[in-house]
C-alpha cells in the first residue's frame, strides 16, 4: 500500500497510509472474506503446472525445508540456485541399480548365533526315547560346576557358562556321545577355545583317514631311498657312500580309548559356533610339545612354527597340550575311584571304577593334607605314551623300511615305568621351593559350607574342587606349563658326519717325488724277480 | 578398574577364567568405600590380585585430583583390611627385577639377596642391614612395573589441562567399534617415553589435550597384545602377553573401561619364543 510514496505533510492524504488512519478504517474487515482470500491464494499456489507437474506451494515448502536444514551462509544470494537444485532433485532416481547391502554388524551376527542356541528342537517324544536308551544323562551340569568354582573366584561369567551349557546340549544331539564333561577354556591370541572331553559310544568311533605319514622326514630317509634306487640299477660307477643314519623308529600312538587317547576332545571357538573334533595325539607330538612353548592363535589349522619342528598344526598342538594337562592335573578325592577287584592289579592298569563305599573326608581335611587327593589319569612317560612300548619290536614287522637287520646297532631303550594310576598327589614333586599343588578352602568365614579348592602350580590355570561327593577338574588358562627357569629352545643337533671313514675317502698326504720313485723302483724289482722265477719254472718244465 | 564399576566389570573380564569369589566381592564392596574415606582419595581403583603360593594379595590404588600423579597403592590379604604400600624406589625396582619365582603369599617372607645379587647384598651388609629383600618390597616393585608396562586407557578417556593436571574427560563417549580394534587407540597410562621421538609431522596431527601419552602401537615386541572382541563386538578385551593375567576391557560407544590383573606377578620373558 502507499504505492505513491510517503506523503509530505502539506499534501492531502498525508497520514492515510499509516495503519489505523486509512479511509476504510471504520469498516470492520469481514473475517470470512479474509479466510476466503487466503484459501484462494493457497489454491492458486497449489495449482499444478501443466508442464512439469510441480506446484509452487510444494516447491516453496521444499526450498524452505532445505534451507532450514542446511542453513547455508548468504542464503539470499544463492536462493535461485537452491531453487534449481530442489527442482533437479525431483527427477533424480532414488534407486541405484546396485542395491546397498545392509551392513551386518558382527554384534548382531553373534547375537543371532547365541539366540539359535536357545531354540528347543524336537518334540517331547524324542526326548523320552533318548532318555530310555541311556541310563545316565550325558549332559554335564555345567552350571552346578560353575557355581562351585565361583566360590573360589574361578570361572566364566554366568552368561557365558549358560551359553556353554546350551552348546553342550547341541553337541550331544549331533554326536553319539556316552559321557561328556566341560574340560575348560584355553585362551588364544585371536580367539579362544572351549573344550569338551567326551567319550563316544562304543562302536561309533570313525576310522581315522590314514594320514599318519612320517612328519619327521629326515634327510637320512631320503638318502636311503635314493640309495635303494641306485642299487637296483647296475653299478657302473662307484656310488657315493651311503648314509648310515636311520631315523628313530616311529613310536605308534595309543589306541583310541586307552592311555593318552582315552577321551575324544571337541573344541569350539565360541558357544554357538560348530564343534570340531580334535585328532588323536601321537607320542611324537607330545614329546615335541614338551620342548616348545607357543601361544595358540585360535585357528585350528594354523601352523606351529617352532624348533624342533612340531609334527602337526595347531589342532595337534592343542590336543597334545590337553593330553599333558589332563595327565598332570586331573585329580579326584582319594578313594573315589578304585581298581576293579576282579582284575589283577598290574602296573599298566588303565581302568578304574567308582567306589560305592567312598566316604568323603571333611573339607578341612581335604585342604590340610594333599594325601586326600589322587590322580585318576595316567601320567605320560618320556616316550610320549602312557604305556611303554619297545620300539625295537616294531621294526621287525616293517621289513620294507629296513634292508638289513640293524637291531644290534640300536640302543637298548630302557623300559620306562611311570607312577601307577591312582597315586596320591602328595607324591608330586615341587619345583625348587614351590609345592606342586596349593590347597585352600573357599571361605574361612563360613567353614560349614566351604569347598576345598586345589590349584596346580605346575600348570597354572588348572583347578579342582571337592565338596562332599562332588568334585570336578577344570582348566582356564593359556595352555602352558610353569617353569621356574626361562624357556630355552632346543639347540639344533650337531652337524651329521657326512661319510663313514674309509680308505677311499680318508685324506692322506700325497707321496713326495722321492717316495714315488722309490716305490716305482721297488715295484720294478719285484717284477724282475717274478719274471726270473717264472723263467726258472719254465725251464724246469 | 573403578571400584564402583566392579560388579559389572568383573563379569566382562571373566573370559579369562579368573575372578573373585562372592565373598571377596562383597568384602570389596564394603571396604573400598571406607578406604576412599580414610585416605581421602578421589577415586579408588581395584587393581587386581597377585596369586602367591600360599595366599593371594589383593591390590587397590587410590587416585588424587591429578589422575596422572603417582598413585598410592594398598594391599590386603582378605579384601577387608588394607595397608598402604610405600612408593617404589629405583633401587627396589632394580633388585626386584632379578628376583625370580613365585610370590609366596606372605608379606614378611624374605628373599636371600646373596643368591640374587651379591653386590647389593654386600652393600646392605656394610650399611648394617641384613642382606634380605622382603616380599612386600617385591610386591611394590612388581605392581609399579606392571602399571608402567601395561596399564592402559582408551584414547580420549583422560584429558590434560593446560596447567598440566590430568582429569577424566566428561565428553568421552567411548571408542567406536572400528577404533576399538586398533592398537593405536589405547595409551599407556604412565609417563610417556616415545612421545618426544615423534616427527614434527606426526606431532602436528596430535591433539595435545588427549594425545599426551604413548600408544600401544610401538610396543616391543610387536604382537605382545591380544585383542579380542567378545560377544560379536559388545566388549573389546585386550590381554597383555608380556604380563600374563592383565586384562583390559572396554565396551565400545560407552564410557565403560578398565583394567585388572589376575596372575602370578611374573613377567613372561619367554614371549619372543611364544609368538
Amino acid at each position: 500500500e502507499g504505492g505513491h510514496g510517503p506523503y509530505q505533510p502539506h499534501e492531502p492524504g498525508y497520514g492515510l497510509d499509516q495503519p489505523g488512519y486509512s479511509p476504510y478504517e471504520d469498516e470492520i474487515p469481514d473475517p470470512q472474506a479474509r479466510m476466503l482470500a487466503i484459501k484462494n491464494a493457497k489454491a492458486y499456489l497449489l495449482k499444478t503446472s501443466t508442464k512439469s507437474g510441480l506446484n509452487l506451494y510444494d516447491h516453496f515448502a521444499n526450498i524452505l525445508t532445505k534451507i532450514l536444514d542446511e542453513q547455508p551462509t548468504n542464503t539470499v544470494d544463492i536462493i535461485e540456485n537452491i531453487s534449481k537444485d530442489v527442482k533437479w532433485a525431483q527427477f533424480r532416481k532414488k534407486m541405484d541399480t546396485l542395491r546397498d547391502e545392509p551392513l551386518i554388524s558382527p554384534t548382531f551376527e553373534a547375537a543371532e548365533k547365541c539366540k539359535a542356541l536357545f531354540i528347543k528342537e524336537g518334540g517331547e517324544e524324542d526326548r523320552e526315547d533318548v532318555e530310555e536308551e541311556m541310563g545316565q544323562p550325558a549332559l554335564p551340569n555345567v552350571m552346578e560346576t560353575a557355581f562351585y568354582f565361583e566360590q573360589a573366584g574361578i570361572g566364566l561369567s554366568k552368561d557365558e557358562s549358560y551359553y556353554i551349557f546350551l552348546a553342550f546340549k547341541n553337541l550331544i544331539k549331533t554326536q553319539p556321545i556316552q559321557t561328556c564333561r566341560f574340560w575348560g577354556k584355553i585362551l588364544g591370541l585371536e580367539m579362544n577355545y572351549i573344550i569338551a572331553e567326551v567319550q563316544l559310544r562304543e562302536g561309533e568311533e570313525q576310522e581315522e583317514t590314514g594320514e599318519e605319514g612320517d612328519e619327521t622326514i629326515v634327510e637320512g630317509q631320503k638318502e636311503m631311498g635314493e640309495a635303494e634306487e641306485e642299487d637296483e640299477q647296475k653299478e657302473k660307477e662307484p656310488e657315493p657312500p651311503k648314509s648310515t643314519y636311520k631315523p628313530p623308529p616311529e613310536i605308534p600312538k595309543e589306541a583310541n580309548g586307552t592311555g593318552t587317547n582315552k577321551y575324544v576332545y571337541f573344541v569350539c571357538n565360541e558357544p554357538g559356533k560348530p564343534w570340531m573334533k580334535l585328532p588323536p595325539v601321537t607320542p611324537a607330538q607330545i614329546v615335541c610339545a614338551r620342548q616348545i612353548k607357543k601361544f595358540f592363535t585360535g585357528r585350528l589349522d594354523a601352523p606351529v612354527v617352532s624348533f624342533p619342528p612340531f609334527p602337526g598344526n595347531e589342532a595337534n598342538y592343542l590336543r597334545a597340550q590337553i593330553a599333558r594337562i589332563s595327565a598332570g592335573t586331573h585329580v579326584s578325592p582319594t578313594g573315589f575311584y578304585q581298581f576293579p577287584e576282579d582284575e589283577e592289579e598290574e602296573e599298566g592298569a588303565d581302568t578304574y571304577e567308582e567306589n560305592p563305599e567312598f566316604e568323603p573326608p571333611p573339607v578341612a581335611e581335604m585342604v590340610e593334607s594333599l594325601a586326600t587327593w589322587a590322580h585318576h589319569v595316567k601320567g605320560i612317560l618320556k616316550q610320549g605314551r602312557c604305556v611303554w612300548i619297545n620300539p625295537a619290536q616294531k621294526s621287525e614287522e616293517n621289513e620294507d623300511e629296513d634292508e638289513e637287520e640293524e637291531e644290534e646297532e640300536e640302543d637298548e631303550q630302557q623300559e620306562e615305568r611311570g607312577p601307577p594310576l591312582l597315586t596320591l598327589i602328595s607324591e608330586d614333586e615341587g619345583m625348587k621351593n614351590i609345592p606342586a599343588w596349593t590347597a585352600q578352602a573357599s571361605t574361612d568365614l563360613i567353614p560349614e559350607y566351604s569347598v576345598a579348592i586345589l590349584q596346580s602350580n605346575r600348570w597354572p590355570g588348572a583347578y579342582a574342587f571337592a565338596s562332599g561327593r562332588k568334585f570336578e577338574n577344570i582348566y582356564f588358562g593359556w595352555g602352558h606349563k610353569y617353569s621356574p627357569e626361562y624357556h630355552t629352545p632346543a639347540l639344533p643337533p650337531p652337524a651329521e658326519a657326512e661319510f663313514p671313514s674309509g680308505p677311499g675317502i680318508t685324506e692322506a698326504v700325497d707321496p713326495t717325488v722321492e717316495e714315488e720313485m722309490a716305490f716305482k723302483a721297488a715295484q720294478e724289482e719285484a717284477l724282475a724277480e717274478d719274471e726270473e722265477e717264472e723263467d726258472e719254472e719254465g725251464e724246469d718244465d | 578398574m573403578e571400584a564402583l564399576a566392579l560388579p559389572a566389570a568383573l563379569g566382562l573380564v571373566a573370559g579369562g577364567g579368573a575372578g573373585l569369589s562372592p565373598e571377596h566381592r562383597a568384602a570389596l564392596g564394603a571396604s573400598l568405600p571406607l578406604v576412599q574415606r580414610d585416605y581421602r582419595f578421589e577415586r579408588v581403583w581395584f587393581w587386581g590380585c597377585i596369586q602367591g603360593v600360599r595366599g593371594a594379595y589383593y591390590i587397590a590404588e587410590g587416585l588424587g585430583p591429578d589422575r596422572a600423579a603417582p598413585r598410592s597403592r594398598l594391599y590386603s590379604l582378605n579384601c577387608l583390611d588394607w595397608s598402604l604400600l610405600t612408593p617404589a624406589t629405583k633401587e627396589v625396582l632394580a633388585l626386584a627385577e632379578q628376583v625370580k619365582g613365585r610370590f609366596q603369599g606372605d608379606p614378611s617372607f624374605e628373599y636371600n639377596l646373596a643368591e640374587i645379587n651379591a653386590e647389593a647384598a654386600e652393600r646392605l651388609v656394610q650399611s648394617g642391614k641384613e642382606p634380605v629383600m622382603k616380599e612386600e618390597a617385591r610386591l611394590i616393585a612388581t605392581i609399579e612395573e606392571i602399571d608402567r608396562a601395561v596399564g592402559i586407557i582408551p584414547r580420549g578417556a583422560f584429558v590434560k589441562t593446560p596447567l598440566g593436571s590430568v582429569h577424566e574427560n566428561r565428553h568421552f563417549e567411548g571408542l567406536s567399534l572400528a577404533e576399538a580394534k586398533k592398537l593405536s587407540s589405547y595409551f599407556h597410562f604412565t609417563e610417556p617415553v616415545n612421545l618426544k621421538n615423534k616427527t614434527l609431522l606426526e606431532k602436528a596431527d596430535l591433539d595435545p589435550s588427549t594425545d599426551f601419552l604413548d600408544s600401544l602401537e610401538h610396543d616391543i615386541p610387536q604382537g605382545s597384545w591380544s585383542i579380542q572382541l567378545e560377544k560379536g563386538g559388545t566388549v573389546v578385551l585386550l590381554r597383555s602377553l608380556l604380563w600374563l593375567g592383565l586384562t583390559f576391557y572396554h565396551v565400545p560407544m560407552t564410557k565403560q573401561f578398565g583394567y585388572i590383573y589376575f596372575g602370578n606377578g611374573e613377567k613372561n620373558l619367554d614371549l619372543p619364543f611364544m609368538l
Side-chain angles (χ1 to χ4, degrees):
Chain A
E1 52 199 294
H4 304 112
Y7 287 103
Q8 304 295 324
H10 64 274
E11 289 175 1
Y14 172 66
L16 283 179
D17 55 353
Q18 305 293 325
Y21 290 101
S22 109
Y24 304 108
E25 204 53 39
D26 47 350
E27 290 180 48
I28 301 165
D30 183 9
Q32 293 287 346
R34 195 117 176 227
M35 296 298 296
L36 195 58
I38 291 175
K39 271 200 210 146
N40 285 341
K42 189 166 173 185
Y44 170 68
L45 289 175
L46 276 168
K47 242 202 299 199
T48 28
S49 147
T50 43
K51 264 202 274 184
S52 56
L54 304 170
N55 61 55
L56 198 54
Y57 188 84
D58 284 338
H59 185 63
F60 274 141
N62 290 339
I63 294 179
L64 287 174
T65 314
K66 188 174 157 95
I67 291 176
L68 288 173
D69 278 343
E70 295 176 11
Q71 309 232 346
T73 49
N74 299 334
T75 318
V76 67
D77 297 328
I78 52 174
I79 185 76
E80 292 85 4
N81 286 342
I82 295 179
S83 166
K84 218 176 5 170
D85 284 338
V86 171
K87 276 198 194 155
W88 217 39
Q90 294 287 331
F91 295 103
R92 220 181 301 150
K93 271 272 193 195
K94 290 216 177 85
M95 291 239 308
D96 277 333
T97 43
L98 296 171
R99 244 184 270 172
D100 282 329
E101 277 211 15
L103 285 170
I104 307 175
S105 169
T107 319
F108 306 134
E109 265 188 32
E112 287 262 337
K113 284 213 188 99
C114 284
K115 190 166 165 196
L117 281 173
F118 285 89
I119 295 175
K120 191 161 91 166
E121 275 182 52
E124 295 288 328
E125 313 110 26
D126 285 342
R127 259 196 290 141
E128 284 176 21
D129 285 340
V130 158
E131 277 181 26
E132 282 171 14
E133 275 182 31
M134 299 186 300
Q136 279 176 353
L139 184 63
N141 195 344
V142 172
M143 295 311 289
E144 191 183 1
T145 315
F147 165 75
Y148 281 110
F149 276 118
E150 197 195 345
Q151 300 303 306
I154 301 153
L156 309 168
S157 63
K158 288 229 176 64
D159 286 353
E160 197 168 348
S161 298
Y162 206 82
Y163 288 140
I164 292 178
F165 204 5
L166 293 172
F168 268 80
K169 200 171 102 167
N170 278 349
L171 178 65
I172 288 181
K173 250 189 294 185
T174 49
Q175 302 278 347
I177 289 176
Q178 192 175 4
T179 58
C180 98
R181 197 175 81 79
F182 177 43
W183 186 91
K185 181 173 178 182
I186 288 190
L187 303 172
L189 296 181
E190 296 163 28
M191 290 184 284
N192 307 322
Y193 291 114
I194 295 177
I195 300 161
E197 183 183 78
V198 148
Q199 254 181 335
L200 294 176
R201 263 185 252 148
E202 293 173 27
E204 300 269 2
E205 291 167 16
Q206 297 153 1
E207 289 293 319
E208 286 292 317
T209 53
E211 29 68 28
E212 319 274 329
D214 255 35
E215 295 288 351
T216 51
I217 293 182
V218 193
E219 293 167 10
Q221 190 117 83
K222 272 201 215 140
E223 282 191 29
M224 286 288 292
E226 290 170 9
E228 282 179 29
E229 287 175 12
E230 288 189 18
D231 273 352
E232 288 170 1
Q233 298 168 8
K234 290 218 172 148
E235 292 183 26
K236 291 184 184 165
E237 317 156 340
E239 44 176 57
K242 283 189 227 177
S243 161
T244 50
Y245 176 78
K246 277 211 63 60
E250 187 193 338
I251 301 173
K253 69 174 176 149
E254 297 182 278
N256 292 347
T258 63
T260 43
N261 285 323
K262 184 163 185 186
Y263 296 102
V264 177
Y265 292 91
F266 285 86
V267 297
C268 75
N269 285 123
E270 267 180 11
K273 294 215 176 136
W275 289 94
M276 284 169 289
K277 186 170 168 182
L278 287 181
V281 67
T282 66
Q285 288 167 357
I286 291 190
V287 166
C288 192
R290 282 182 170 143
Q291 296 171 309
I292 66 176
K293 197 171 176 186
K294 285 287 208 176
F295 279 121
F296 294 98
T297 59
R299 289 167 288 127
L300 283 176
D301 50 358
V304 177
V305 180
S306 66
F307 185 79
F310 187 77
N313 57 13
E314 184 157 311
N316 304 99
Y317 184 43
L318 180 64
R319 180 68 181 81
Q321 291 294 90
I322 292 177
R324 290 174 69 200
I325 293 174
S326 297
T329 63
H330 278 192
V331 295
S332 54
T334 311
F336 190 87
Y337 288 119
Q338 66 181 11
F339 291 114
E341 290 170 7
D342 41 334
E343 273 188 33
E344 292 175 5
E345 202 179 301
E346 313 158 359
E347 283 198 11
D350 208 9
T351 54
Y352 49 82
E353 60 178 26
E354 280 187 34
N355 179 359
E357 295 154 24
F358 170 62
E359 288 289 335
V363 168
E365 207 182 301
M366 300 221 68
V367 169
E368 283 273 334
S369 134
L370 289 179
T372 44
W373 299 82
H375 287 279
H376 62 257
V377 177
K378 237 170 175 268
I380 304 184
L381 306 169
K382 253 168 84 171
Q383 203 183 37
R385 294 170 48 108
C386 288
V387 173
W388 190 77
I389 199 173
N390 190 350
Q393 290 170 2
K394 215 32 178 109
S395 62
E396 281 184 29
E397 300 166 8
N398 294 354
E399 285 180 11
D400 0 311
E401 284 190 16
D402 297 1
E403 287 190 337
E404 309 138 11
E405 284 187 0
E406 302 193 29
E407 287 175 30
E408 306 113 28
E409 294 184 12
E410 271 184 35
D411 309 287
E412 294 252 345
Q413 295 196 6
Q414 296 281 325
E415 182 182 342
E416 298 176 37
R417 284 162 193 271
L421 188 54
L422 295 175
T423 29
L424 306 174
I425 67 173
S426 45
E427 312 201 3
D428 282 354
E429 297 165 3
M431 306 153 283
K432 280 195 190 175
N433 52 351
I434 306 169
W437 295 90
T438 301
Q440 284 173 342
S442 63
T443 162
D444 293 323
L445 297 173
I446 310 177
E448 306 90 62
Y449 293 110
S450 71
V451 176
I453 306 279
L454 208 57
Q455 289 176 27
S456 169
N457 293 327
R458 274 217 227 123
W459 291 95
Y463 303 101
F465 86 86
S467 169
R469 295 195 73 94
K470 293 206 225 298
F471 78 95
E472 191 60 73
N473 297 285
I474 209 160
Y475 183 85
F476 292 113
W478 295 89
H480 299 117
K481 193 169 187 175
Y482 174 75
S483 80
E485 276 80 36
Y486 302 126
H487 169 74
T488 40
L491 291 173
E496 296 281 358
E498 286 181 11
F499 303 105
S501 309
I505 53 167
T506 15
E507 280 188 13
V509 182
D510 276 345
T512 60
V513 180
E514 292 88 13
E515 286 178 11
E516 276 190 4
M517 301 295 283
F519 183 69
K520 211 169 160 190
Q523 260 195 337
E524 284 172 3
E525 275 183 24
L527 259 178
E529 281 179 15
D530 284 341
E531 283 178 12
E532 283 178 15
E533 284 181 11
E534 281 183 17
D535 287 345
E536 286 175 10
E537 286 171 18
E539 283 173 7
D540 286 342
D541 285 342
Chain B
M1 59 180 64
E2 271 286 336
L4 299 167
L6 205 53
L10 281 175
L12 293 171
V13 294
L20 291 174
S21 66
E23 183 185 326
H24 288 140
R25 267 189 235 202
L28 282 178
S31 62
L32 286 180
L34 292 177
V35 161
Q36 190 172 359
R37 175 200 70 181
D38 291 338
Y39 291 90
R40 294 190 228 287
F41 292 134
E42 281 199 18
R43 291 267 190 276
V44 175
W45 282 7
F46 179 64
W47 184 90
C49 160
I50 293 189
Q51 272 298 336
V53 172
R54 284 189 277 274
Y57 298 104
Y58 298 92
I59 319 282
E61 284 185 338
L63 286 87
D66 181 3
R67 306 283 187 259
R71 292 164 244 173
S72 331
R73 299 188 171 108
L74 304 101
Y75 82 97
S76 157
L77 297 165
N78 57 3
C79 286
L80 284 170
D81 310 305
W82 296 90
S83 331
L84 190 62
L85 289 169
T86 53
T89 58
K90 279 202 193 139
E91 299 89 33
V92 168
L93 280 175
L95 269 181
E97 242 181 285
Q98 300 179 336
V99 179
K100 284 196 281 186
R102 299 275 307 266
F103 278 85
Q104 292 296 323
D106 173 18
S108 55
F109 179 82
E110 293 173 348
Y111 292 96
N112 191 351
L113 269 182
E115 291 169 16
I116 300 164
N117 187 342
E119 298 173 1
E122 277 180 34
R123 259 184 277 138
L124 277 178
V125 165
Q126 282 168 7
S127 61
K129 296 186 230 160
E130 284 185 22
V132 289
M133 178 172 180
K134 284 212 167 159
E135 180 146 297
E136 210 179 72
R138 188 182 171 202
L139 185 67
I140 296 171
T142 309
I143 302 174
E144 175 71 28
E145 265 194 74
I146 294 180
D147 261 344
R148 256 191 226 173
V150 290
I152 58 178
I153 53 164
R155 177 174 182 268
F158 286 89
V159 119
K160 192 168 188 170
T161 60
L163 301 170
S165 63
V166 171
H167 299 287
E168 279 108 1
N169 182 2
R170 287 184 201 275
H171 290 288
F172 176 61
E173 286 296 337
L175 300 173
S176 70
L177 199 56
E179 281 176 17
K181 290 191 222 173
K182 290 193 264 188
L183 274 182
S184 53
S185 332
Y186 302 99
F187 291 152
H188 288 281
F189 196 41
T190 61
E191 291 296 319
V193 173
N194 288 333
L195 213 52
K196 49 187 180 311
N197 296 340
K198 287 190 182 248
T199 62
L200 271 180
L201 274 180
E202 288 174 344
K203 278 197 217 172
D205 287 328
L206 298 178
D207 178 8
S209 60
T210 51
D211 295 311
F212 56 97
L213 300 165
D214 286 330
S215 90
L216 295 188
E217 262 183 319
H218 303 289
D219 267 7
I220 297 166
Q222 225 179 23
S224 64
W225 288 95
S226 136
I227 302 190
Q228 282 181 13
L229 293 167
E230 291 222 345
K231 292 202 250 174
T234 36
V235 183
V236 63
L237 283 172
L238 269 80
R239 292 203 179 94
S240 166
L241 304 176
L242 186 59
W243 290 93
L244 285 175
L246 183 107
T247 314
F248 170 86
Y249 77 95
H250 175 51
V251 184
M253 304 312 287
T254 67
K255 288 184 76 150
Q256 301 170 38
F257 68 89
Y259 69 86
I260 200 166
Y261 181 83
F262 280 113
N264 288 344
E266 288 181 284
K267 198 166 182 178
N268 180 24
L269 284 171
D270 301 332
L271 180 59
F273 294 118
M274 294 168 77
L275 285 175

